[in-house]
Amino acid sequence: MHELGIVFHIIETVEDVAKEQNLTEVASVTLEVGEVSAVIPEYLQDCWKWACRRSPLMDGSKLIIETIEAVTYCEACGKTYETVKYAKICPHCGSDSTYLLEGNGVQIKEIEAM
């Protein structure tokens, strides 16, 4: 379960930002999770609840997860399409000369602090 490692990294990053900004409490963290990132949102939530209890700054904070749709680009026809629905083969021209544009990352979008 790599989600726990991701959660620890997020908490560490938020704690660093909080220190720089003199924040005393974090209400929520909004995380963008790519549709094909291999990160399971439910596992993130479970790990979040457990890990945040270990940090006075983060204790009681909420994790908000926004899913970023995976989009693939076709080099043959120049069009984009839904990765999950069509995989590697372009639905517009049938080419397999494609690559993923977005939807495989995980990043902090917003920190709500008090």
Side-chain angles (χ1 to χ4, degrees):
M1 179 189 317
H2 62 280
E3 285 80 4
L4 185 58
I6 292 169
V7 165
F8 279 136
H9 180 72
I10 292 165
I11 289 172
E12 183 179 307
T13 301
V14 171
E15 287 176 334
D16 289 347
V17 170
K19 191 175 191 177
E20 290 172 9
Q21 301 297 319
N22 297 318
L23 305 175
T24 57
E25 187 178 342
V26 173
S28 69
V29 174
T30 302
L31 195 64
E32 294 178 326
V33 177
E35 190 175 32
V36 294
S37 66
V39 174
I40 301 170
E42 293 81 15
Y43 291 178
L44 279 178
Q45 291 288 0
D46 290 343
C47 293
W48 184 263
K49 291 173 191 170
W50 178 82
C52 284
R53 284 189 227 131
R54 302 178 60 183
S55 167
L57 175 75
M58 303 298 294
D59 193 23
S61 68
K62 188 167 120 179
L63 179 63
I64 301 165
I65 298 174
E66 296 179 358
T67 302
I68 303 300
E69 184 178 299
V71 177
T72 296
Y73 175 78
C74 177
E75 293 179 307
C77 69
K79 294 182 180 178
T80 60
Y81 63 89
E82 299 172 56
T83 305
V84 172
K85 189 172 183 179
Y86 299 104
K88 179 130 177 81
I89 306 300
C90 176
H92 305 290
C93 72
S95 173
D96 68 349
S97 182
T98 61
Y99 61 88
L100 188 66
L101 283 178
E102 63 182 342
N104 67 337
V106 176
Q107 67 182 12
I108 297 170
K109 177 183 177 183
E110 182 176 67
I111 300 167
E112 180 184 356
M114 297 187 196

